Amino acid sequence: MEFLDRYQQIVAEAITKYTFKDKPAELYDPMNYIISHGGKRLRPIMVLMACDLFGGDLKQAIKPALAIEFFHNFTLIHDDIMDEAPLRRNKPTIHTLHGINVGILSGDGLMLKAYKFFEDLEPEIFKACIRIFTHTGLLLCEGQQYDINFETQENVTYDDYIRMITYKTGVLSASSFEIGALIARANFKDAKAIFNFGKHIGIAFQIMDDYLDVFGDQAQFGKKHAGDIYENKKTILYLLAREHATEEERKELDHWYGKKTDNIDKVYGVEKIFRRTKVDEKALRLIQKHNEIGQSYLEKINIPEDKKKPFAELANYLLRRES
């Protein structure tokens, strides 16, 4: 995965270059804090990879790539506030350290800074990228609202869930690839193909996220174990469990998901049903299904196979996270 190291280095150097030095420090220091704990910075890397794939100038893509990273971290700050999450990437969340008000403001600041990072693009490309970026942001908000609705909504279907994770996770990966392609002036057909590749890889990634929440190694995952169960999240594990549970087990699931509590018995009870219904195996099969759909879109792009190889490698890498 040497290509990933190269892109990560480019993104890391750009983040260092554009570290916020503005005042007041109480606003900008938390913004620097979450950016500095940036994990693998996959979404800005996706911008750079797509730009490279279609023969674009990486220098033109670096600031838009940072825009994606800033926007992504804005969503994480607000997501952590909504979920009352104490940890992000094994570090205390911003609202835990500085309070909810600072969390909201620093998240808003990151979003607005993200928009400024498109300003150097030529007018036609700027307009196209901003249209995609704004639409992506709106879809992400819709996905987040669906996710919140599901906590109290009795009947959540598989299609409801796929729409929610597509909006909440899939489209940001998809748009990252598409923006990189547009900066490289790829044609419409190829830009949409790389968008759909990213969408299905993003869906698979989110299903893996749901899987690791319960079946992953907490130290590797960097989040509270079974946080989705505590929060009554109607994840793919829950939906598969309900589909394959006995009537008695469905009643037990309804009981636990009818209340939001930190009772450890809730986690034990729900996990027991998850394991009996083998939702771990079923979720892993769905991950592979969406990976294969994504790869089929990659194959449609009329570019030499050796240039597409890193994309397939990236997808497989994302879906082999520690469990």
Side-chain angles (χ1 to χ4, degrees):
M1 299 290 284
E2 289 182 11
F3 75 92
L4 199 58
D5 294 336
R6 181 171 70 89
Y7 289 122
Q8 283 177 332
Q9 184 63 29
I10 292 170
V11 173
E13 289 174 0
I15 284 173
T16 300
K17 179 178 178 180
Y18 293 104
T19 296
F20 300 119
K21 300 180 177 66
D22 312 69
K23 302 292 181 184
E26 293 80 2
L27 172 66
Y28 289 100
D29 285 353
M31 293 161 64
N32 286 326
Y33 170 82
I34 192 166
I35 293 294
S36 70
H37 299 146
K40 296 178 178 64
R41 293 165 176 159
L42 296 169
R43 289 156 190 87
I45 286 172
M46 291 172 181
V47 177
L48 300 180
M49 286 180 67
C51 185
D52 248 354
L53 178 67
F54 296 105
D57 182 354
L58 275 192
K59 291 179 182 177
Q60 292 180 13
I62 287 172
K63 288 176 78 171
L66 285 192
I68 295 291
E69 179 69 356
F70 288 0
F71 177 80
H72 174 58
N73 280 276
F74 142 69
T75 68
L76 298 182
I77 293 172
H78 284 199
D79 200 38
D80 287 340
I81 291 170
M82 293 180 202
D83 290 345
E84 300 178 2
L87 293 176
R88 168 70 63 180
R89 299 165 184 148
N90 275 325
K91 303 284 185 181
T93 48
I94 285 178
H95 71 275
T96 301
L97 293 173
H98 302 286
I100 289 175
N101 290 346
V102 170
I104 293 170
L105 283 174
S106 59
D108 292 347
L110 276 175
M111 179 184 68
L112 294 167
K113 286 286 189 180
Y115 271 95
K116 289 184 66 65
F117 270 24
F118 287 102
E119 291 175 352
D120 292 347
L121 295 173
E122 295 178 13
E124 184 180 344
I125 303 297
F126 170 82
K127 185 177 179 180
C129 289
I130 287 294
R131 183 177 66 249
I132 293 166
F133 187 67
T134 303
H135 183 59
T136 297
L138 288 170
L139 288 179
L140 197 145
C141 290
E142 291 176 18
Q144 179 71 356
Q145 186 61 57
Y146 282 127
D147 196 18
I148 293 168
N149 292 353
F150 291 173
E151 292 178 24
T152 54
Q153 184 177 323
E154 284 191 16
N155 297 315
V156 176
T157 68
Y158 174 77
D159 288 342
D160 291 336
Y161 167 83
I162 291 296
R163 177 179 60 181
M164 182 271 289
I165 65 169
T166 299
Y167 289 4
K168 190 175 175 182
T169 302
V171 293
L172 187 55
S173 297
S175 297
S176 298
F177 282 126
E178 186 176 17
I179 284 171
L182 290 176
I183 292 170
R185 292 172 171 75
N187 64 50
F188 177 81
K189 183 180 177 182
D190 284 345
K192 281 303 169 191
I194 201 69
F195 173 93
N196 282 313
F197 167 77
K199 182 178 78 171
H200 284 281
I201 297 308
I203 290 171
F205 185 84
Q206 183 57 52
I207 296 174
M208 178 62 86
D209 215 57
D210 292 352
Y211 167 88
L212 290 174
D213 180 75
V214 174
F215 297 104
D217 182 329
Q218 184 183 358
Q220 292 282 354
F221 196 37
K223 293 182 184 178
K224 178 181 178 181
H225 172 71
D228 289 341
I229 295 176
Y230 284 115
E231 294 294 323
N232 296 335
K233 299 284 188 184
K234 304 292 186 1
T235 68
I236 191 63
L237 303 182
Y238 168 86
L239 295 176
L240 289 170
R242 273 197 68 83
E243 181 183 350
H244 296 279
T246 64
E247 186 63 32
E248 185 178 341
E249 287 169 335
R250 276 195 287 272
K251 286 180 181 177
E252 186 177 351
L253 285 172
D254 290 342
H255 167 74
W256 289 123
Y257 278 78
K259 58 176 79 175
K260 190 177 279 191
T261 173
D262 278 349
N263 185 343
I264 195 66
D265 290 339
K266 174 179 181 176
V267 174
Y268 288 150
V270 172
E271 280 193 19
K272 186 172 72 172
I273 296 171
F274 283 180
R275 293 181 191 281
R276 197 206 66 76
T277 53
K278 298 182 179 180
V279 298
D280 52 337
E281 297 174 12
K282 295 175 174 66
L284 290 172
R285 284 198 292 270
L286 280 173
I287 289 166
Q288 186 56 33
K289 171 190 168 184
H290 282 281
N291 186 17
E292 289 171 0
I293 295 171
Q295 302 289 351
S296 72
Y297 279 105
L298 187 62
E299 290 169 8
K300 294 178 182 179
I301 299 172
N302 189 23
I303 294 275
E305 288 303 313
D306 62 312
K307 283 196 165 188
K308 291 190 279 188
K309 187 179 177 183
F311 290 79
E313 290 180 2
L314 175 66
N316 291 327
Y317 166 74
L318 292 177
L319 304 178
R320 282 199 308 267
R321 291 184 290 165
E322 292 296 328
S323 60

